[in-house]
Amino acid sequence: MMKKIMKRNYKILSLLLLLAFASCSFTSKTFNNPDKDKALIQVITFVLDNGHFDPIELDDEFSAELFKDYVEITDPVKRYFYQSDYEDFIKYKLTIDDQLKASDITFFNVINERMLKRFEEAKEIYKDILSKPFDYTIDEEFDTDHENKPFAKNKREMKERWRQQLKFSTLSNYDDIFSQEQKAKEKDPSYVMKTAEEIDEEARESTLKSLNIYFEDYIDDQTREDWFAIYVNTIVEEFDPHTYYLAPKGKEEFDTRMSGKLEGIGARLQKRMDYIKIVELISGGPAWRSKELEVEDVILKVKQEDEEFPVDIVGMRINDAIKYIKGPKGTKVTLTVKKVDGTIKDITITRDIVELVETYAKSSVVKKDDKKFGVINLPAFYVDFDDYKNINAAKDVEKEIERLKAEGMEGLVLDLRNNGGGSLPAVVEMAGLFIKDGPVVQVRSTGQAKDVLKDTNKSISWDGPLVILVNEISASASEIMAAAMQDYKRAVVIGSKQTYGKGTVQQVVNLNTFMRNSSNDLGALALTTQKYYRINGGSVQLEGVKSDVKVPGRFSFIDVGEKDKDNPLPYDEIDAADYTPWENYFDYNATINKSKERMSNNPQLNLIEENAKWVKSKIDETVFSLNYEKYKAKLDLNEEEAKRFDAISDYKTNLTFESHAYEKSLFEKDTTDLKEKRERWHESLAQDIYIEEALNVLEDLKTSYPIKKVAATVKK
C-alpha cells in the first residue's frame, strides 16, 4: 500500500457530489458513549467499515501509513517537532489500528500535547530571530521541499531552520519595499530612498506581524475539538481522496456553500505544495470584476483593511488561508500575488456576496462566415434536490438549446472545461438531450449487481453536430457526459490528453443519526460508496476520458488529476451495457483526423505548450537564493522569459459572439450587470483557440439528415 505523503486538497469536487439516489443500509445501528471523542471514533470506524465502497483493513500496514500521514500533517514543514519527539511518537506506529478498534485516542493525545508545547517554543524562536537584522549579501540557499528533510536534532538546528525560512519570507517583503522605493525615486528624483537597514527593519517587522497574527488569530484560537477533527480527517482520508470528515463547524460551512451564497472574493482555490493557487474565478464575483486576478496566480499574503501588516499564507493549510481571504460584504482585502510570469503584485478587492447562480449554464450565438453556431458553457452539474424541476443543469441546458435553435444554430459546442462535476441524475438527463434513448452510465456498489442508468425519453433536443470541450480539471459528472457522448460517437471530444479521472460516487452521512440520547454534535462524513463506469465497461477512475483531439493547455504538465492524489481507488472494468452508437454522422472519423492535423501545425498551440512546460519548470523549482542580488536577478529573469508568452493573450479569432434574443431582452431590465458579464465572456471566447477549433469541427461534421434549426417553443 504505497501512498504519497502530501497535504490534502481539491475537496470541491467531492463537495458538489451530493447524489439523490445514494443510501446507507446500516443506519439502524446506534451507539451510546458519553465521551464525544471516543464516540466519534466508534461511529466513524463503523461507517467506514460498513459503508465505504472499498473498506481497508485496520491493521499494522494501515497504522504505519496513518502514523506517517498524521505526523506530516501536524508538522508539514518540520519546524516544530525534534528528532527526539519523533522517536517518542514512533512507538505508536504499529498500534494505532488497535487503539482505533478500542476507541482509544492515546496517539492523538500524545502528539497534540507535544505540538502545543512546540508551538509556544516556536513563538519565542521567531520573535528572537526577527529582532536582529538579516544579511542579504551572504551566498546561501533555502530549499522549500520539506518532505525529505530530517527532523531537527537540537535547538540550534531548529533555530537555523526557522532563520532560513524567516529570511526567505522577509526577502520577499524586502524586495516589495525596495521596489516601491525605486518607483518613488523614478517619479520624484528628489525623493530620499530608505537605507538598506531601514528597508530590512520594515521587512522584518512585516514578517513578525504576519506570524503574530497567524499564531494569535489561528493557532491560539484552535480548540481541542478543532485539532481532533484534523486527526479524524487524516484517518478517513486513508480510504480514498474523496472521503473526508466534516466537523460540526465544517458542516455549517458546507451547508452555506450548498445554499447558493458565499461572502468573499469569488475565487476557487487549491493547494499545491506550500502554495495557495487560484483555479477558478466565479463569473460576476469581485475577483472577476477586478480584472486583476487570474487563474494560476499564487496568493502569498493577505492583508485586512484594518490591519497594518499582511499575513503570510505560504505553507498554511488551505482552510486556514481561506479564513483570511473570505469575509463580510463591503470589507476590503489586499492579496499579494505571484503571477505566472514570476512578478509580484498587490491587488485590493472589495468582498461581496457571490451568487452561485453565476455558475449556471450560459450560451452564446457565434457567427462563422455565413453560418451560425452555438456555445453553451456549463461550470457545474448543479441541482437543487428540493426544487429539482426548476434548478437543474439539464433543464437549463435544454432551455439554452431551444433559444440557440431559434437563432438558427447549425452546430453546438458544450464547454465542460474546468467543470468539477455535480449531480449524477442531472448528467443522465442532460445526455438524453442528445440521444434518442439508452444507457448513459453504469454504477456499482461493493458486492451488488451493477445499476445501468438510462435515458428513457425518446425525444432529442439537439440532433445536429456536437463538440464537447474538456481539460484536466473536467471531473466526475463532466467525465460521465463526455464519455457517454464519445462512446455513442455522438460528439467529438476536444481537449486535454485525459480528464481528471474521478470515477467515484460520494454520500454525505450525518453521524448524529447513529447516536442514542446524546447532545453532542458529531458532524458528518462524506464517504465513497460507489464507482461509476462508462457504457463501454471501462472506468474513468485514474484514466479519465481521453480526448478524440488532444491539445495542450495550461494544465498539461501540472499534477492535478486523481492519479496524483493520495490513496486513489484503482482502475477496473465491468461488462459493457447494451447500446447503439449514433449513426447520423457520415464523416465522424475523417473530421477527427482533419482536426488533429490542423492542431498539430498550429503555432499558437505550440506556444501554449511551451508556456505549460515553462510553468511546470517554475513549479518544480524548490531551491532559492537568500542573497538579494541573486534573488532579484532570478525574478527579473522570470519576468523577461515570460514576455515571449505574451502572444498567447494577444490571440484573436475572426469570430463574432453575441447573446441570443431571450438574453438580450433581459438586458433592458437588468440590475445585475448581466450585459457586462456577457460582453466580457464574449470577448474571452473571441480569443479562445479551442472554441475556434471546435467550430471548425462543427463545420466539418456532416449529418445524414437536415438539422432542425427553429424550435417550436422557446422555453423561458
Side-chain angles (χ1 to χ4, degrees):
M1 187 165 74
M2 297 298 294
K3 301 169 184 173
K4 295 178 289 180
I5 305 303
M6 59 184 286
K7 295 180 194 174
R8 314 300 203 249
N9 51 31
Y10 212 62
K11 299 299 168 76
I12 191 65
L13 302 178
S14 300
L15 287 173
L16 293 173
L17 255 164
L18 284 172
L19 303 178
F21 61 85
S23 64
C24 281
S25 58
F26 53 88
T27 53
S28 59
K29 174 79 173 179
T30 59
F31 298 87
N32 188 16
N33 192 328
D35 187 320
K36 182 178 179 180
D37 292 343
K38 292 184 178 181
L40 180 56
I41 292 294
Q42 247 184 323
V43 173
I44 285 282
T45 52
F46 174 79
V47 172
L48 288 169
D49 190 44
N50 290 273
H52 194 274
F53 177 83
D54 188 18
I56 55 180
E57 186 70 29
L58 299 189
D59 54 15
D60 286 354
E61 189 176 5
F62 168 86
S63 184
E65 289 294 336
L66 176 57
F67 170 82
K68 191 177 178 183
D69 287 353
Y70 186 56
V71 171
E72 193 273 341
I73 281 172
T74 308
D75 186 10
V77 292
K78 295 178 180 172
R79 287 204 305 274
Y80 298 113
F81 294 144
Y82 291 90
Q83 180 63 32
S84 59
D85 294 327
Y86 184 77
E87 290 168 2
D88 287 341
F89 301 154
I90 204 168
K91 67 181 71 170
Y92 299 101
K93 184 176 181 179
L94 301 180
T95 63
I96 309 172
D97 57 316
D98 302 312
Q99 288 183 20
L100 294 177
K101 291 172 186 174
S103 301
D104 184 347
I105 55 174
T106 300
F107 176 61
F108 165 76
N109 287 333
V110 169
I111 286 207
N112 193 62
E113 182 182 342
R114 191 70 54 87
M115 176 188 70
L116 295 177
K117 179 183 178 183
R118 297 307 184 209
F119 282 160
E120 291 304 312
E121 293 173 358
K123 292 179 188 178
E124 299 303 318
I125 293 174
Y126 78 71
K127 288 175 183 177
D128 178 55
I129 292 171
L130 291 172
S131 68
K132 305 177 184 72
F134 287 123
D135 185 350
Y136 301 109
T137 65
I138 299 173
D139 279 334
E140 59 176 332
E141 294 180 327
F142 176 63
D143 190 347
T144 59
D145 182 3
H146 310 288
E147 186 174 339
N148 297 315
K149 286 181 182 177
F151 287 99
K153 293 185 178 64
N154 49 51
K155 289 184 178 179
R156 180 184 58 78
E157 279 191 18
M158 182 65 80
K159 192 168 183 179
E160 174 60 14
R161 191 163 293 184
W162 271 95
R163 184 194 68 80
Q164 285 198 331
Q165 173 65 63
L166 293 172
K167 186 176 180 181
F168 180 62
S169 299
T170 305
L171 194 58
S172 174
N173 298 335
Y174 185 97
D175 181 58
D176 289 345
I177 299 167
F178 184 75
S179 298
Q180 290 169 10
E181 290 293 297
Q182 282 187 318
K183 289 176 183 176
K185 184 68 173 177
E186 291 169 5
K187 188 175 181 181
D188 179 8
S190 65
Y191 177 78
V192 179
M193 290 180 58
K194 294 174 183 175
T195 64
E197 291 76 14
E198 289 172 330
I199 294 175
D200 170 59
E201 183 177 0
E202 188 174 330
R204 283 184 290 110
E205 186 177 1
S206 178
T207 303
L208 177 63
K209 289 284 186 181
S210 176
L211 280 168
N212 284 343
I213 292 171
Y214 175 62
F215 273 88
E216 292 167 9
D217 288 0
Y218 172 68
I219 296 294
D220 292 348
D221 219 28
Q222 289 285 90
T223 64
R224 185 183 185 284
E225 183 180 32
D226 295 327
W227 296 121
F228 191 66
I230 294 171
Y231 177 56
V232 172
N233 200 51
T234 311
I235 295 169
V236 304
E237 286 190 337
E238 295 298 331
F239 285 69
D240 78 283
H242 306 288
T243 292
Y244 57 94
Y245 173 59
L246 281 163
K249 190 188 301 181
K251 181 64 167 60
E252 290 173 13
E253 294 171 356
F254 175 85
D255 292 339
T256 300
R257 181 179 288 114
M258 297 309 294
S259 72
K261 287 186 178 181
L262 293 171
E263 286 189 308
I265 65 169
R268 298 200 193 283
L269 308 176
Q270 178 184 350
K271 185 93 181 246
R272 294 192 192 141
M273 297 298 287
D274 275 353
Y275 297 99
I276 307 293
K277 289 196 173 186
I278 293 172
V279 294
E280 181 188 350
L281 298 177
I282 297 175
S283 176
W288 176 87
R289 290 198 301 265
S290 77
K291 299 185 180 181
E292 293 188 274
L293 278 177
E294 299 176 287
V295 171
E296 283 300 299
D297 282 351
V298 174
I299 304 177
L300 304 175
K301 302 173 189 176
V302 183
K303 188 177 86 67
Q304 312 304 326
E305 62 181 339
D306 56 349
E307 296 284 348
E308 184 180 357
F309 296 99
V311 174
D312 189 338
I313 64 169
V314 175
M316 195 179 287
R317 296 184 183 96
I318 189 166
N319 288 338
D320 305 335
I322 289 172
K323 290 175 185 176
Y324 289 105
I325 296 168
K326 72 178 185 179
K329 175 182 178 179
T331 58
K332 293 182 179 180
V333 62
T334 299
L335 307 178
T336 300
V337 301
K338 182 179 181 182
K339 312 297 283 186
V340 172
D341 61 11
T343 57
I344 309 293
K345 187 176 182 181
D346 283 344
I347 298 171
T348 299
I349 296 173
T350 301
R351 300 178 178 108
D352 201 349
I353 293 176
V354 182
E355 298 277 357
L356 294 192
V357 67
E358 296 298 343
T359 66
Y360 289 179
K362 59 179 179 283
S363 70
S364 173
V365 178
V366 53
K367 296 177 182 177
K368 186 176 190 296
D369 300 324
D370 59 343
K371 295 182 179 179
K372 283 186 178 181
F373 298 99
V375 176
I376 296 179
N377 176 270
L378 187 70
F381 283 83
Y382 51 88
V383 65
D384 185 336
F385 290 120
D386 294 326
D387 191 13
Y388 184 84
K389 289 185 179 180
N390 294 314
I391 303 178
N392 170 348
K395 297 291 184 188
D396 288 350
V397 167
E398 183 180 18
K399 290 176 185 177
E400 296 302 328
I401 288 173
E402 298 302 324
R403 291 162 184 161
L404 291 169
K405 284 163 65 176
E407 300 281 342
M409 172 176 71
E410 298 181 55
L412 175 64
V413 179
L414 180 60
D415 189 353
L416 300 181
R417 289 175 295 179
N418 303 319
N419 184 319
S423 164
L424 192 52
V427 73
V428 173
E429 185 177 347
M430 192 180 299
L433 301 176
F434 305 102
I435 58 173
K436 185 176 179 181
D437 58 9
V440 174
V441 64
Q442 306 185 90
V443 182
R444 185 172 69 87
S445 300
T446 301
Q448 297 183 22
K450 71 179 184 181
D451 187 12
V452 182
L453 306 183
K454 301 179 179 180
D455 164 48
T456 57
N457 188 337
K458 293 184 181 297
S459 65
I460 301 177
S461 292
W462 177 246
D463 51 17
L466 178 65
V467 166
I468 294 180
L469 289 177
V470 296
N471 64 4
E472 292 86 351
I473 309 299
S474 303
S476 192
S478 295
E479 296 176 286
I480 292 173
M481 184 69 188
M485 295 300 98
Q486 191 177 62
D487 289 343
Y488 274 106
K489 291 195 171 183
R490 175 65 185 90
V492 174
V493 179
I494 299 177
S496 53
K497 180 180 178 182
Q498 72 164 72
T499 52
Y500 190 84
K502 181 182 182 295
T504 58
V505 176
Q506 282 70 43
Q507 175 192 0
V508 177
V509 178
N510 184 344
L511 299 177
N512 297 305
T513 59
F514 295 89
M515 293 305 296
R516 187 167 61 247
N517 304 322
S518 174
S519 59
N520 289 323
D521 187 352
L522 299 185
L525 179 69
L527 78 160
T528 297
T529 56
Q530 297 171 309
K531 286 179 76 173
Y532 67 80
Y533 301 81
R534 301 173 66 136
I535 55 176
N536 69 7
S539 173
V540 303
Q541 179 65 13
L542 302 183
E543 295 291 316
V545 177
K546 294 173 172 55
S547 297
D548 297 312
V549 181
K550 300 175 182 64
V551 290
R554 64 164 64 230
F555 301 113
S556 292
F557 302 97
I558 299 174
D559 298 335
V560 295
E562 181 84 357
K563 64 182 180 298
D564 300 302
K565 299 298 175 189
D566 293 347
N567 316 320
L569 295 184
Y571 171 87
D572 63 337
E573 299 178 0
I574 60 175
D575 292 337
D578 184 16
Y579 67 99
T580 302
W582 185 259
E583 297 176 344
N584 294 321
Y585 295 133
F586 60 76
D587 59 351
Y588 182 82
N589 292 324
T591 295
I592 290 174
N593 290 332
K594 283 177 69 175
S595 179
K596 286 179 179 178
E597 185 177 351
R598 272 193 303 267
M599 300 306 258
S600 65
N601 298 317
N602 190 297
Q604 176 74 356
L605 283 175
N606 292 337
L607 186 62
I608 289 172
E609 184 170 29
E610 284 182 40
N611 180 240
K613 289 178 180 177
W614 181 77
V615 169
K616 179 65 165 69
S617 72
K618 299 295 113 182
I619 290 172
D620 289 343
E621 287 181 2
T622 63
V623 179
F624 300 89
S625 175
L626 297 181
N627 175 292
Y628 179 63
E629 287 188 3
K630 292 183 177 180
Y631 174 87
K632 183 64 173 175
K634 183 65 174 177
L635 290 182
D636 293 342
L637 178 62
N638 285 347
E639 193 167 349
E640 189 62 33
E641 287 179 346
K643 288 179 181 177
R644 66 190 174 105
F645 303 117
D646 288 347
I648 293 175
S649 57
D650 295 336
Y651 186 75
K652 292 279 193 292
T653 68
N654 293 318
L655 303 170
T656 303
F657 296 83
E658 64 179 18
S659 294
H660 48 63
Y662 172 71
E663 195 166 70
K664 286 178 179 176
S665 71
L666 298 179
F667 294 162
E668 299 172 8
K669 51 187 176 181
D670 174 44
T671 59
T672 60
D673 302 321
L674 179 62
K675 189 171 187 293
E676 182 195 350
K677 292 171 187 174
R678 291 300 180 262
E679 286 174 350
R680 286 183 57 183
W681 180 46
H682 296 159
E683 184 181 335
S684 68
L685 288 175
Q687 295 179 280
D688 193 329
I689 189 172
Y690 308 102
I691 290 287
E692 183 180 44
E693 178 57 21
L695 296 174
N696 289 334
V697 170
L698 289 177
E699 204 167 32
D700 289 342
L701 274 176
K702 303 295 188 298
T703 56
S704 58
Y705 57 89
I707 302 160
K708 301 179 183 67
K709 293 185 181 180
V710 181
T713 304
V714 177
K715 300 178 182 178
K716 297 183 180 179

